[in-house]
Amino acid sequence: MTLVTACGQGSALRAAPAGDAEGKAQLSSEVSKLLPPSDAPGFGPKYAAAVKGPVTGVDVSLPYTNVLPLPDGPIGDPNKTYTFCFSQALTGSTWAVGQQESVMIEAARHPNVKLLTYNTNNDPLKQVADLESCATQGADAYLVWPHSVAPLTPQIEKLTNSGAVVVGMERLVATDKYSTWIYLDNQKAAADMADAIGKKLGGKGTIVETDGALGSSPQILWRTLLAKSLKEKYPDIKVEYSAPTDYSRGSGYKVALDYLQSHEGKPIDGWFTQYSEIGFGVAQALNDYKRTDIPHFTVVDGKVAVQALTDGTFSAISPWTPVHADVAFRAAVYHLTGKEVPKQLVLEQPPVITQETAAKALELTWPG
């Protein structure tokens, strides 16, 4: 039995930057556990021909088909049907749909595969129950995008200790008891975003940060790493925090409006949101409060968000692709069939998208 968990040019394998080890050493043990080791191999995107998304019906181009490639046709024993359990952290977001489509497109290439899909509806305890349900059904592989660190860490360890092979996806848990974990590059993304903020604000001012769900690895990493990069590079930029959100537009709107009302008259020189869906809600609050003069920075691209950048809603976007669950699927197949696969690998972080680069980014980004 195999468990796979996943984390957003060219096909070259590379080692992580030498500075990663030093930067990681300066972080708390809690945060360090959520980062890849400094020697984890990394892969850049190499876009495949577009195919129609099985959920949206919109053309999707998978960016990482060069990573752990597999030919079309049966996997392993052609006379056996292999069952894959795909468990996601939340529903109702285009990011989750993009991730789901990427694994469905890959699974459809292999006729002896059965794919079971589960979505937690933003409930970590339901995700634990879903994984237990998969175990009772005798799944051959588990593909997991974990909701949050604390509830999912023991469950993934439990599956691994039972003999499952563990491979991971984007969000993380605090254990190394897995077979392969697929990371997006949080450190580079945060450092690049700090530069975008610093340049826009002229190196000084106050920026408000609106987090996603407390306890999820993206929330922990963005809050920690962005603050660290700003402090190191732009010490005259002060970060203040609104209440957290559940990564939705509605909660983004509410917490932003509450913050604006409770901090009326205080200087706000910029706003950072940990997800563009939150960002759309914050943007509406800024519009309603007549504060569209505040530059707005966010994470997660997709065609809707990049178009919003060109329209002036956002000043810069850190790309964060969901189209990577096909890599998790192939990693599971490699483990099931005895092929060598890294314990950790990193999908390289593209540059921050700005007004100057938005047109090109719009061509390449995923449909969401």
Side-chain angles (χ1 to χ4, degrees):
M1 190 164 54
T2 304
L3 169 65
V4 180
T5 328
C7 305
Q9 292 279 19
S11 58
L13 183 68
R14 62 114 176 102
D20 285 2
E22 181 181 354
K24 187 174 177 181
Q26 299 171 6
L27 298 168
S28 70
S29 59
E30 176 194 29
V31 174
S32 295
K33 287 178 181 178
L34 302 178
L35 295 170
S38 59
D39 60 351
F43 296 85
K46 185 177 181 180
Y47 288 86
V51 298
K52 184 170 288 189
V55 177
T56 63
V58 177
D59 284 350
V60 180
S61 181
L62 300 183
Y64 294 105
T65 55
N66 56 305
V67 184
L68 309 177
L70 284 173
D72 290 351
I75 63 170
D77 181 353
N79 297 312
K80 176 181 175 179
T81 296
Y82 294 84
T83 300
F84 289 71
C85 178
F86 177 58
S87 174
Q88 289 186 287
L90 56 91
T91 187
S93 80
T94 56
W95 204 93
V97 173
Q99 188 186 59
Q100 181 183 8
E101 287 196 322
S102 66
V103 74
M104 293 173 72
I105 290 167
E106 179 64 44
R109 298 174 57 228
H110 310 289
N112 61 335
V113 163
K114 180 180 180 181
L115 182 67
L116 306 176
T117 60
Y118 292 85
N119 201 302
T120 69
N121 197 25
N122 217 24
D123 181 351
L125 298 182
K126 181 179 185 303
Q127 188 166 34
V128 171
D130 289 343
L131 292 171
E132 291 284 2
S133 176
C134 285
T136 63
Q137 296 178 67
D140 297 287
Y142 300 78
L143 316 177
V144 184
W145 179 42
H147 176 276
S148 47
V149 177
L152 273 300
T153 295
Q155 181 62 26
I156 284 175
E157 288 185 334
K158 178 181 177 181
L159 288 165
T160 303
N161 291 337
S162 74
V165 177
V166 182
V167 186
M169 227 177 338
E170 196 262 332
R171 288 190 179 189
L172 309 160
V173 290
T175 183
D176 61 358
K177 291 185 177 180
Y178 52 79
S179 298
T180 296
W181 204 285
I182 300 163
Y183 291 78
L184 301 188
D185 195 344
N186 289 89
Q187 285 179 292
K188 186 175 189 305
D192 289 352
M193 180 55 72
D195 283 334
I197 293 170
K199 290 173 184 176
K200 185 70 174 179
L201 272 58
K204 61 183 179 180
T206 298
I207 187 162
V208 179
E209 179 170 341
T210 298
D211 290 4
L214 290 178
S216 65
S217 64
Q219 182 271 327
I220 295 168
L221 289 169
W222 271 107
R223 175 175 278 223
T224 304
L225 297 174
L226 182 64
K228 176 176 179 290
S229 290
L230 285 171
K231 183 178 180 181
E232 292 172 351
K233 298 180 179 183
Y234 305 98
D236 292 329
I237 294 180
K238 179 184 177 182
V239 184
E240 295 189 350
Y241 299 93
S242 73
T245 70
D246 61 2
Y247 287 107
S248 71
R249 293 192 189 199
S251 61
Y253 178 80
K254 182 180 184 306
V255 301
L257 207 58
D258 288 347
Y259 186 91
L260 289 164
Q261 291 169 348
S262 62
H263 291 74
E264 190 165 2
K266 292 188 177 181
I268 300 173
D269 302 296
W271 206 298
F272 170 74
T273 49
Q274 292 185 352
Y275 179 27
S276 51
E277 279 295 299
I278 305 170
F280 281 115
V282 170
Q284 184 61 54
L286 292 173
N287 183 69
D288 290 352
Y289 217 73
K290 312 300 182 188
R291 289 306 312 270
T292 55
D293 59 305
I294 298 174
H296 188 165
F297 310 86
T298 194
V299 185
V300 178
D301 46 337
K303 293 193 182 298
V304 173
V306 176
Q307 184 60 55
L309 186 153
T310 66
D311 296 341
T313 300
F314 302 121
S315 298
I317 297 174
S318 179
W320 205 249
T321 181
V323 190
H324 55 237
D326 59 311
V327 182
F329 179 96
R330 293 193 297 275
V333 173
Y334 272 47
H335 284 292
L336 288 169
T337 57
K339 293 183 179 180
E340 186 175 352
V341 57
K343 184 175 177 69
Q344 298 96 1
L345 61 89
V346 181
L347 303 181
E348 292 181 359
Q349 176 65 15
V352 167
I353 304 168
T354 63
Q355 289 281 344
E356 292 73 26
T357 61
K360 183 63 175 178
L362 196 58
E363 294 178 11
L364 295 176
T365 194
W366 47 283

